[in-house]
Amino acid sequence: MKTLIKKIIEKSNPTVVGLDPLLEYIPDYILEKNYKLYGNTFEAAEHSIFEFNKDIIDAIYDIVPAIKPQSAYYEMYGWQGVRALHNTIKYAKHMGMYVIVDVKRNDIGSTAGAYAKAYLGDTSINGDSLSAFSADSVTINGYLGSDGILPFYEQCKLNNKSIFALVKTSNPSSGELQDLILSSGETVYKKMINLYNEISKDSLNEYGFTSIGAVVGATYPAQLTELRNEFPNIFFLVPGYGAQGGGANDIAGAFNDKGLGGIVNSSRAVMCAYKKGNYLPEEFAKAARDEVIRMKNDLLNVIK
């Protein structure tokens, strides 16, 4: 988490761009070029997605500290789409960006360990150690309990990585389970963040945060403020800003009096910014840059 916070401070910008590219988000001139080269195939999707992502990264890397590709938007295009994800991670890191891969993976025991190695660690191939995806961070679903969390946490400690675990998610139905009251009197989501806090308490960095962060949606501002006050050492990944309805005032409670404590995600509003306003399709990257500048200024107006 230390590396991410350092990049946020350097850019004075607590935002992350979610690169979740459906083909309908990509300008027609890119798609048509690749359909001519590769036909109506997953290869055409792969090349279109990576070109789109690369141009956006080129336009925003000096302003935005991190990207967050959601793996589902790549997996739906087969192994070729997964290769586009791999290449996007590699290119963003080459450009100095922090990469949070939104996979929400989990299982127990050795399976959780395999997921953790795939994204945060190394895989042994005939005595050599190779990195499969080389992400800086991943999202995980901690609701399987500590034996599904600890393998990811071990990779964090070994490789200076971080994880963001689900606490209070931004979707409308999250309260069906996460808001339930346990016999102890606390909510399920409070129980989860307590668990993460206990597991990661030995990883406190110089900024005062642990290497296990929490996913808390901008669509639940009261819970953001509540959890920030009760868990000052947990860093928040905040989805739900922009297209999902969360605004700057909704996320203000995620931050402490030093202006730290969270990173706010925006996906569609950045990728599809060229579809709003006076932009040509060829100016999609410029539109994305304009949107991340607007978002940065919007958030800085409410962060202390």
Side-chain angles (χ1 to χ4, degrees):
M1 203 69 73
K2 174 182 175 180
T3 303
L4 173 60
I5 297 170
K6 184 178 179 181
K7 290 180 181 294
I8 289 171
I9 292 171
E10 287 173 350
K11 292 181 167 55
S12 297
N13 188 2
T15 69
V16 53
V17 169
L19 288 179
D20 308 339
L22 293 172
L23 290 185
E24 51 261 41
Y25 296 168
I26 300 174
D28 288 343
Y29 78 92
I30 294 177
L31 295 173
E32 289 168 2
K33 175 182 66 177
N34 286 302
Y35 290 148
K36 287 180 181 178
L37 290 171
Y38 304 102
N40 296 340
T41 63
F42 287 141
E43 284 80 5
E46 171 198 349
H47 288 277
S48 298
I49 288 167
F50 182 62
E51 180 178 343
F52 181 71
N53 287 352
K54 182 176 180 294
D55 285 356
I56 288 180
I57 290 168
D58 286 343
I60 67 171
Y61 77 92
D62 60 325
I63 301 169
V64 178
I67 62 163
K68 184 180 72 65
Q70 161 55 261
S71 64
Y73 289 89
Y74 300 83
E75 293 171 22
M76 68 186 293
Y77 299 112
W79 63 260
Q80 297 92 335
V82 175
R83 184 163 60 187
L85 171 62
H86 176 274
N87 290 337
T88 296
I89 295 168
K90 183 177 180 180
Y91 187 73
K93 292 188 69 171
H94 170 71
M95 298 302 289
M97 302 187 82
Y98 194 87
V99 179
I100 305 167
V101 182
D102 194 354
V103 289
K104 298 183 180 68
R105 291 286 194 268
N106 217 322
D107 212 298
I108 57 173
S110 59
T111 308
Y115 279 137
K117 287 182 179 180
Y119 287 96
L120 302 176
D122 295 320
T123 302
S124 178
I125 305 291
N126 195 31
D128 287 341
S129 292
L130 303 176
S131 177
F133 286 96
S134 195
D136 297 303
S137 181
V138 292
T139 58
I140 70 165
N141 184 347
Y143 281 83
L144 280 76
S146 59
D147 54 355
I149 301 166
L150 290 170
F152 292 91
Y153 183 53
E154 288 301 315
Q155 292 300 323
C156 290
K157 292 191 290 185
L158 287 172
N159 300 302
N160 190 31
K161 301 296 179 75
S162 69
I163 54 178
F164 287 95
L166 300 184
V167 172
K168 178 60 180 168
T169 55
S170 59
N171 56 302
S173 64
S174 67
E176 292 175 0
L177 295 176
Q178 296 165 16
D179 290 357
L180 293 177
I181 306 297
L182 301 174
S183 59
S184 62
E186 64 184 347
T187 59
V188 171
Y189 72 79
K190 184 79 67 69
K191 180 67 174 179
M192 294 308 300
I193 196 170
N194 263 311
L195 178 61
Y196 306 145
N197 193 50
E198 182 62 27
I199 289 173
S200 64
K201 61 186 179 182
D202 63 343
S203 66
L204 207 63
N205 61 42
E206 65 194 69
Y207 298 107
F209 295 96
T210 61
S211 57
I212 300 183
V215 179
V216 185
T219 47
Y220 296 100
Q223 286 85 347
L224 265 177
T225 302
E226 168 200 14
L227 294 174
R228 169 53 57 231
N229 291 335
E230 293 190 38
F231 298 92
N233 301 323
I234 300 288
F235 205 83
F236 294 162
L237 170 61
V238 186
Y241 174 92
Q244 291 187 50
N249 289 325
D250 297 317
I251 60 87
F255 297 87
N256 63 23
D257 58 6
K258 296 180 180 178
L260 297 175
I263 187 163
V264 182
N265 178 75
S266 181
S267 301
R268 269 178 292 163
V270 176
M271 292 184 295
C272 299
Y274 75 98
K275 296 187 176 184
K276 300 178 181 180
N278 190 26
Y279 295 101
L280 297 172
E282 291 80 7
E283 296 178 307
F284 72 91
K286 178 185 183 302
R289 181 180 177 87
D290 290 345
E291 173 58 21
V292 297
I293 291 172
R294 186 209 62 77
M295 179 183 176
K296 173 184 176 180
N297 293 334
D298 188 36
L299 297 182
L300 292 183
N301 282 332
V302 300
I303 297 172
K304 295 179 182 178

